[in-house]
Amino acid sequence: MAPEQFREIGHSLIDSIADFYSHLPTASTASPLLPDAMRQRLGKREMPEKRTNIAPVLDKFSKLFFEHSTHNGSPRFWGYITSSAAPIGALADLLAAAVNPNCGAWALSPIATEIENETIRWLAEFMSLPGKWDGIVVSGGNMANIVAFIVARKAKATWDIRAKGLTAPESQRLAVYGSGEMHTWINKAADLCGLGTDAVRWIATDKEHRLRPDALRQAIEADRAAGLSPFMVCGTAGSVGTGAIDPLPEIAKICKEFDLWFHVDGAYGAPAVALDNASADLKGLRLADSIAIDPHKWLYAPLEAGCTLVRNRDDLHDAFAFKPSYYQFDDNEGQEVKNYFEYGPQNSRGFRALKIWLGFQQSGASGYRRMIADDIELAHRLYDFIGQQELLERGTVSLSIATFRFVPVDLRKRSMEAGAVTDYLNELNARIATALRLSGRAFVSNAHIGDRYMLRACIVNFRTTLADVELLPRLIVELGRGLDARFRPAALK
Ligand SMILES: *Cc1c(COP(=O)(O)O)cnc(C)c1O
């Protein structure tokens, strides 16, 4: 592509992206098309054998993409913990792709590597982590947690687990602990690393969905007595279901007592520790050996951007470094550099840190603190509005996640009844979530609290206003009434 053509196509694309941004507040949160209709709309093309004039292709595709995507940038998108992305991040990704540094080695990405180092330092500083933390930028929360898991496994295994694996004669069966509300990354980690998912101990939680330290202690002692080797505890700082924060200081104490690796999954909630009114439980993440944080959530970087932070840089290096003979990256005249391929599972790496680094400069730490505090405030206001609706039942509110459900007035007294009533309410609320999504007016997801299917609004969105959250309870009631009239089984009428 000639530079002149790039300029022309690029300007026109930037213009349409700017229009897309300005329409986000009024655009549908999601396309009304079901999968078959979506495939039909998209059509099918043969793999092109010959070159095509790309400008019209890009133009046509971008229009379709803008119109029929699920817009997590909409102010009324509160599904899952998928945030609105800051426009500066889109420019950062474009710039990173244009220069295309390979952030595997310093010599291939001198400036980008130094910026990634600085980004990691800023993330640690934002959370006021004590001492000299280090880390690596990865694709997201799952990878950030899995990388920490691999580090913990190497640090705590009593034999050379990297060379000898899990079946050496001197090996022991490893066990890892976390609350029943832990994210499923832990299953992937245990599976990928060959421990098997049976190595995961899902510890009982209290009424607020937080790990129970007494149950943790019991499980560790029982495993030790049975000859297993407990090696890691994962505390959650903002659970994916309800935003629950485990009692991290107590978990830290238990880890110290039993010499276990203390990891905190802060993919969602870790940035909230920067707020003045952060709870003592949340501040306990500063006692961890490793933390997973997800800048593509509450720091508003576009996908993908996660980060593993470790208290001790050597632990990360020890878990991943290999020195292939074909890499000659140490000849910087004796000056110290970080070659990221030695600090994580990837070899070639893109410049994901740039969007985090630019985001930090655009908003400043104070801007992030304000945006995070606003989201938490909006979730609580939403919870108040829900409480004012006779047909809505409140579940939980923690950090910026509120859970609730629609309960027809005549079923209200029986709403906790197991069996037919619970089944019907679960089905009804699942229908409401789908109908709301397809309506394009707002987007919520769900959480399970005991047997109850709850609607879940997760506000990780700097575009959301008070008027947006005020609208949601009314939309749910309107849809709930209609769906209840259509689908109520005769036995419950
Ligand atoms: C989102 C989330 C994850 C997974 O992060 P991805 O970026 O989706 O891979 C893990 N743990 C928690 C607590 C999360 O909220």
Side-chain angles (χ1 to χ4, degrees), residues 361-409:
Q361 293 184 76
Q362 189 190 27
S363 301
S366 62
Y368 276 126
R369 285 194 297 269
R370 184 177 44 75
M371 289 188 279
I372 292 167
D374 283 352
D375 285 351
I376 293 173
E377 166 73 13
L378 285 170
H380 284 79
R381 294 299 297 273
L382 172 62
Y383 206 60
D384 293 342
F385 293 134
I386 291 164
Q388 292 160 14
Q389 286 281 354
E390 196 190 14
L391 296 177
L392 298 182
E393 175 188 287
R394 298 206 287 190
T396 57
V397 62
S398 183
L399 288 177
S400 65
I401 299 179
T403 64
F404 57 99
R405 64 178 180 165
F406 177 85
V407 178
V409 76

Coordinates of all heavy atoms in Angstrom, one line a residue, residues 361-409:
Q361 N -1.8 8.2 31.0 CA -1.4 9.6 30.8 C -2.6 10.5 30.5 O -2.7 11.7 30.9 CB -0.4 9.8 29.8 CG 0.9 9.1 30.2 CD 2.0 9.3 29.3 OE1 2.6 10.4 29.2 NE2 2.3 8.2 28.6
Q362 N -3.6 9.9 29.7 CA -4.7 10.7 29.4 C -5.6 11.0 30.6 O -6.0 12.2 30.8 CB -5.6 10.0 28.3 CG -6.7 10.9 27.8 CD -7.7 10.3 26.9 OE1 -7.9 9.1 27.1 NE2 -8.3 11.0 26.0
S363 N -5.8 10.0 31.4 CA -6.7 10.2 32.6 C -6.0 10.6 33.9 O -6.6 11.2 34.7 CB -7.5 8.9 32.8 OG -8.2 8.5 31.7
G364 N -4.8 10.1 34.0 CA -4.1 10.3 35.2 C -4.6 9.3 36.3 O -5.8 8.8 36.1
A365 N -3.8 9.0 37.3 CA -4.3 8.1 38.3 C -5.6 8.6 38.9 O -6.5 7.9 39.2 CB -3.2 7.9 39.4
S366 N -5.7 10.0 39.1 CA -6.8 10.5 39.7 C -8.1 10.3 38.9 O -9.2 10.1 39.4 CB -6.6 12.0 40.0 OG -6.4 12.7 38.8
G367 N -7.9 10.4 37.5 CA -9.0 10.2 36.6 C -9.5 8.8 36.8 O -10.7 8.5 36.8
Y368 N -8.6 7.8 36.8 CA -9.0 6.4 37.0 C -9.8 6.2 38.3 O -10.8 5.5 38.4 CB -7.9 5.4 36.9 CG -7.5 5.1 35.5 CD1 -6.2 5.3 35.0 CD2 -8.5 4.6 34.6 CE1 -5.9 4.9 33.7 CE2 -8.2 4.2 33.3 CZ -6.9 4.4 32.9 OH -6.6 4.1 31.6
R369 N -9.2 6.8 39.4 CA -9.9 6.7 40.7 C -11.3 7.2 40.6 O -12.3 6.6 41.1 CB -9.1 7.4 41.8 CG -7.8 6.6 42.2 CD -7.2 7.2 43.5 NE -6.8 8.6 43.4 CZ -5.6 8.9 43.0 NH1 -4.6 8.0 42.8 NH2 -5.3 10.2 42.9
R370 N -11.5 8.4 39.9 CA -12.8 8.9 39.9 C -13.7 8.1 39.0 O -14.9 7.8 39.4 CB -12.7 10.4 39.2 CG -14.1 11.1 39.2 CD -13.9 12.5 38.7 NE -13.1 12.6 37.5 CZ -13.5 12.2 36.2 NH1 -14.7 11.7 36.0 NH2 -12.7 12.3 35.2
M371 N -13.3 7.5 37.9 CA -14.1 6.7 37.0 C -14.5 5.4 37.8 O -15.7 5.0 37.6 CB -13.4 6.4 35.7 CG -13.3 7.6 34.8 SD -12.7 7.2 33.2 CE -10.9 7.1 33.4
I372 N -13.6 4.9 38.5 CA -13.9 3.6 39.3 C -14.9 3.9 40.4 O -15.9 3.2 40.6 CB -12.6 3.0 39.8 CG1 -11.7 2.5 38.7 CG2 -12.9 1.9 40.8 CD1 -10.3 2.1 39.1
A373 N -14.7 5.0 41.1 CA -15.6 5.4 42.2 C -17.0 5.7 41.6 O -18.0 5.3 42.2 CB -15.1 6.6 42.9
D374 N -17.1 6.3 40.4 CA -18.4 6.6 39.8 C -19.1 5.3 39.5 O -20.3 5.2 39.7 CB -18.2 7.4 38.5 CG -17.8 8.8 38.7 OD1 -17.9 9.3 39.8 OD2 -17.5 9.5 37.7
D375 N -18.4 4.3 39.0 CA -19.1 3.0 38.6 C -19.6 2.4 39.9 O -20.7 1.8 39.9 CB -18.1 2.1 38.0 CG -17.7 2.5 36.5 OD1 -18.4 3.4 36.0 OD2 -16.8 1.9 35.9
I376 N -18.9 2.5 41.0 CA -19.3 1.8 42.2 C -20.6 2.6 42.7 O -21.6 2.0 43.1 CB -18.2 1.9 43.3 CG1 -17.1 0.9 42.8 CG2 -18.7 1.5 44.7 CD1 -15.8 0.9 43.7
E377 N -20.5 3.9 42.6 CA -21.7 4.7 43.0 C -22.9 4.4 42.2 O -24.0 4.3 42.7 CB -21.3 6.2 42.9 CG -22.4 7.2 43.0 CD -23.0 7.4 44.4 OE1 -22.3 6.9 45.3 OE2 -24.1 8.0 44.5
L378 N -22.7 4.3 40.9 CA -23.8 4.0 40.0 C -24.4 2.6 40.3 O -25.7 2.5 40.2 CB -23.4 4.1 38.5 CG -23.2 5.5 38.0 CD1 -22.5 5.4 36.6 CD2 -24.5 6.2 37.8
A379 N -23.6 1.7 40.6 CA -24.1 0.3 40.9 C -25.0 0.4 42.2 O -26.1 -0.2 42.3 CB -23.0 -0.7 41.1
H380 N -24.6 1.2 43.2 CA -25.4 1.4 44.4 C -26.7 2.1 44.1 O -27.7 1.8 44.7 CB -24.5 2.0 45.5 CG -23.6 1.0 46.1 ND1 -22.4 0.7 45.5 CD2 -23.6 0.3 47.2 CE1 -21.7 -0.2 46.3 NE2 -22.5 -0.5 47.3
R381 N -26.6 3.1 43.3 CA -27.8 3.9 42.9 C -28.8 2.9 42.2 O -30.0 3.0 42.4 CB -27.5 5.1 42.0 CG -26.7 6.2 42.7 CD -27.4 6.8 43.9 NE -28.6 7.4 43.6 CZ -28.8 8.7 43.3 NH1 -27.7 9.5 43.2 NH2 -29.9 9.2 43.0
L382 N -28.2 2.1 41.3 CA -29.1 1.1 40.6 C -29.8 0.2 41.6 O -31.0 0.0 41.5 CB -28.2 0.3 39.6 CG -28.9 -0.9 39.0 CD1 -30.1 -0.4 38.1 CD2 -28.0 -1.7 38.1
Y383 N -29.0 -0.2 42.6 CA -29.6 -1.1 43.6 C -30.7 -0.4 44.4 O -31.7 -1.0 44.7 CB -28.4 -1.5 44.6 CG -28.7 -2.8 45.3 CD1 -28.8 -4.0 44.6 CD2 -28.7 -2.9 46.7 CE1 -29.0 -5.2 45.2 CE2 -28.9 -4.1 47.3 CZ -29.0 -5.2 46.6 OH -29.2 -6.4 47.3
D384 N -30.5 0.9 44.6 CA -31.6 1.7 45.3 C -32.9 1.7 44.4 O -34.0 1.5 44.8 CB -31.2 3.2 45.5 CG -30.1 3.3 46.5 OD1 -29.9 2.3 47.3 OD2 -29.4 4.3 46.6
F385 N -32.6 2.0 43.1 CA -33.8 2.1 42.1 C -34.5 0.7 42.1 O -35.7 0.6 42.0 CB -33.3 2.5 40.7 CG -32.8 3.9 40.6 CD1 -31.6 4.2 39.9 CD2 -33.5 4.9 41.2 CE1 -31.2 5.5 39.8 CE2 -33.1 6.2 41.1 CZ -31.9 6.5 40.4
I386 N -33.7 -0.4 42.1 CA -34.3 -1.7 42.1 C -35.2 -1.9 43.3 O -36.3 -2.4 43.2 CB -33.2 -2.8 42.0 CG1 -32.5 -2.7 40.7 CG2 -33.8 -4.2 42.3 CD1 -31.2 -3.5 40.6
G387 N -34.7 -1.4 44.5 CA -35.4 -1.6 45.7 C -36.8 -0.8 45.7 O -37.7 -1.1 46.4
Q388 N -36.9 0.2 44.8 CA -38.2 0.9 44.7 C -39.2 0.3 43.8 O -40.3 0.8 43.7 CB -37.9 2.4 44.2 CG -37.1 3.2 45.2 CD -36.4 4.4 44.6 OE1 -36.7 4.7 43.4 NE2 -35.4 5.0 45.3
Q389 N -38.8 -0.8 43.1 CA -39.7 -1.5 42.2 C -40.3 -2.7 42.9 O -39.6 -3.6 43.3 CB -39.0 -1.9 40.9 CG -38.6 -0.8 40.0 CD -39.8 -0.4 39.1 OE1 -40.9 -1.0 39.2 NE2 -39.6 0.7 38.4
E390 N -41.6 -2.7 43.0 CA -42.3 -3.7 43.7 C -42.0 -5.1 43.0 O -42.0 -6.1 43.7 CB -43.8 -3.5 43.6 CG -44.6 -4.3 44.6 CD -46.1 -4.1 44.3 OE1 -46.5 -3.6 43.3 OE2 -46.9 -4.5 45.2
L391 N -41.9 -5.1 41.7 CA -41.7 -6.4 41.0 C -40.3 -6.9 40.9 O -40.0 -7.9 40.2 CB -42.3 -6.3 39.6 CG -43.8 -6.0 39.6 CD1 -44.4 -5.9 38.2 CD2 -44.6 -7.2 40.3
L392 N -39.4 -6.2 41.5 CA -38.0 -6.6 41.5 C -37.5 -7.0 42.9 O -37.8 -6.4 43.9 CB -37.1 -5.5 40.9 CG -37.4 -5.1 39.5 CD1 -36.3 -4.0 39.1 CD2 -37.3 -6.3 38.5
E393 N -36.7 -8.1 42.9 CA -36.2 -8.6 44.2 C -34.7 -8.3 44.1 O -34.0 -8.7 43.2 CB -36.5 -10.1 44.3 CG -35.8 -10.8 45.5 CD -36.1 -12.3 45.4 OE1 -37.2 -12.8 45.6 OE2 -35.1 -13.0 45.0
R394 N -34.1 -7.8 45.2 CA -32.7 -7.5 45.2 C -31.9 -8.7 45.7 O -32.3 -9.5 46.5 CB -32.4 -6.3 46.2 CG -33.1 -5.0 45.7 CD -32.4 -3.8 46.2 NE -32.6 -3.6 47.7 CZ -32.3 -2.5 48.3 NH1 -31.7 -1.5 47.6 NH2 -32.5 -2.4 49.6
G395 N -30.7 -8.8 45.1 CA -29.8 -9.9 45.5 C -28.6 -9.4 46.2 O -28.6 -9.4 47.5
T396 N -27.6 -8.9 45.5 CA -26.4 -8.4 46.2 C -25.9 -7.1 45.5 O -26.3 -6.8 44.4 CB -25.3 -9.4 45.9 OG1 -25.1 -9.6 44.5 CG2 -25.6 -10.8 46.6
V397 N -25.1 -6.4 46.2 CA -24.3 -5.3 45.5 C -22.9 -5.3 46.2 O -22.8 -5.2 47.4 CB -25.1 -3.9 45.6 CG1 -25.2 -3.5 47.0 CG2 -24.3 -2.9 44.8
S398 N -21.9 -5.3 45.3 CA -20.5 -5.3 45.8 C -19.7 -4.7 44.7 O -19.9 -5.1 43.5 CB -20.1 -6.6 46.3 OG -18.8 -6.6 46.8
L399 N -18.7 -3.9 45.0 CA -18.0 -3.1 44.0 C -19.0 -2.6 43.1 O -19.9 -1.9 43.5 CB -16.9 -4.0 43.3 CG -15.7 -4.4 44.2 CD1 -14.8 -5.3 43.5 CD2 -14.9 -3.2 44.7
S400 N -18.9 -2.9 41.7 CA -19.9 -2.2 40.8 C -20.8 -3.2 40.2 O -21.3 -3.1 39.1 CB -19.1 -1.4 39.7 OG -18.4 -2.3 38.9
I401 N -21.1 -4.3 40.9 CA -22.0 -5.4 40.4 C -23.2 -5.4 41.3 O -23.1 -5.6 42.5 CB -21.3 -6.8 40.4 CG1 -20.1 -6.8 39.5 CG2 -22.3 -7.8 40.0 CD1 -19.4 -8.1 39.5
A402 N -24.4 -5.3 40.7 CA -25.7 -5.4 41.4 C -26.4 -6.6 40.8 O -26.4 -6.8 39.6 CB -26.5 -4.2 41.3
T403 N -27.0 -7.5 41.7 CA -27.8 -8.6 41.2 C -29.2 -8.5 41.7 O -29.4 -7.9 42.8 CB -27.2 -9.9 41.6 OG1 -27.2 -10.1 43.0 CG2 -25.8 -10.1 41.1
F404 N -30.1 -8.9 40.9 CA -31.6 -8.8 41.2 C -32.4 -9.7 40.3 O -31.8 -10.3 39.4 CB -32.0 -7.3 41.0 CG -31.7 -6.8 39.6 CD1 -32.7 -6.8 38.7 CD2 -30.5 -6.4 39.2 CE1 -32.5 -6.3 37.4 CE2 -30.2 -6.0 37.9 CZ -31.2 -5.9 37.0
R405 N -33.7 -9.8 40.5 CA -34.5 -10.6 39.6 C -35.9 -10.1 39.6 O -36.3 -9.4 40.5 CB -34.4 -12.1 39.8 CG -35.0 -12.5 41.2 CD -34.9 -14.0 41.3 NE -35.5 -14.3 42.6 CZ -35.9 -15.6 43.0 NH1 -35.7 -16.6 42.1 NH2 -36.4 -15.8 44.2
F406 N -36.6 -10.4 38.6 CA -38.0 -10.1 38.4 C -38.9 -11.2 39.1 O -38.7 -12.3 38.8 CB -38.4 -10.0 36.9 CG -39.8 -9.7 36.7 CD1 -40.3 -8.4 36.7 CD2 -40.8 -10.7 36.4 CE1 -41.6 -8.1 36.4 CE2 -42.1 -10.5 36.2 CZ -42.5 -9.1 36.2
V407 N -39.8 -10.7 40.0 CA -40.7 -11.7 40.6 C -42.1 -11.2 40.5 O -42.4 -10.1 41.1 CB -40.3 -11.9 42.1 CG1 -41.3 -12.9 42.8 CG2 -38.9 -12.4 42.2
P408 N -43.0 -11.8 39.8 CA -44.4 -11.4 39.7 C -45.0 -11.2 41.1 O -44.7 -12.0 42.0 CB -45.1 -12.5 38.9 CG -44.0 -13.2 38.3 CD -42.8 -13.1 39.1
V409 N -45.9 -10.3 41.3 CA -46.3 -9.9 42.6 C -47.0 -11.1 43.3 O -46.8 -11.3 44.5 CB -47.2 -8.6 42.6 CG1 -48.6 -8.9 42.1 CG2 -47.2 -7.9 43.9

